[in-house]
Amino acid sequence: EKDEFICHYIGERISQEEADRRGPLYDARNRTYLFDLNDDYVIDQHRMGTKSKFINHSINQANCFCKNMKVNGDHKIGIFASVPIDSYQELFFDYQYKDNKTGWVGRKSETTFKRTRISSKIKRTTKKGSE
């Protein structure tokens, strides 16, 4: 159903500076699973994570969306259905690429990646009682 929770985007929480270091290494392998959590941290699913790292990017076919939620004082990224989704249907969400060019939305960096990291410019919500 629409707005139904699908999964969390879970992985290693690293600093933006560490993401800047790892990004070019991942790009050389043509595999990047970095998701900006907030201005300070990035979720990296390269070494550890869930199947959510295989959700692909699409603007036109997006059937999911992300919410950056604060739960018990901790930032979490949830992936939700934007439309009803059938079993075995491929999942897509908009990675918020900036004009399909290098760099990413959400913060500035002097490092230029060949691939765009998933942006933290996603819907932000706070669960009641979590502040």
Side-chain angles (χ1 to χ4, degrees), residues 44-128:
D44 181 359
Q45 282 201 3
H46 186 76
R47 294 185 183 114
M48 57 198 250
T50 63
K51 292 179 182 180
S52 63
K53 70 180 168 184
F54 300 114
I55 299 175
N56 288 313
H57 165 70
S58 177
I59 296 171
N60 300 327
Q61 296 179 10
N63 54 10
C64 304
F65 64 93
C66 298
K67 282 186 185 179
N68 189 336
M69 304 171 289
K70 201 167 186 183
V71 180
N72 296 325
D74 194 21
H75 288 270
K76 301 283 184 185
I77 298 169
I79 300 174
F80 296 83
S82 57
V83 296
I85 299 172
D86 294 328
S87 297
Y88 303 105
Q89 185 176 344
E90 188 171 0
L91 302 177
F92 297 96
F93 69 89
D94 183 358
Y95 288 3
Q96 303 287 321
Y97 284 145
K98 186 170 116 182
D99 300 327
N100 291 324
K101 297 179 183 175
T102 56
W104 62 94
V105 179
R107 71 182 204 94
K108 296 178 182 173
S109 173
E110 294 180 18
T111 305
T112 301
F113 294 112
K114 287 189 290 185
R115 293 180 53 138
T116 304
R117 293 185 351 203
I118 301 170
S119 170
S120 61
K121 290 287 187 183
I122 56 178
K123 297 180 181 181
R124 294 181 183 266
T125 60
T126 303
K127 195 170 182 178
K128 283 187 175 181

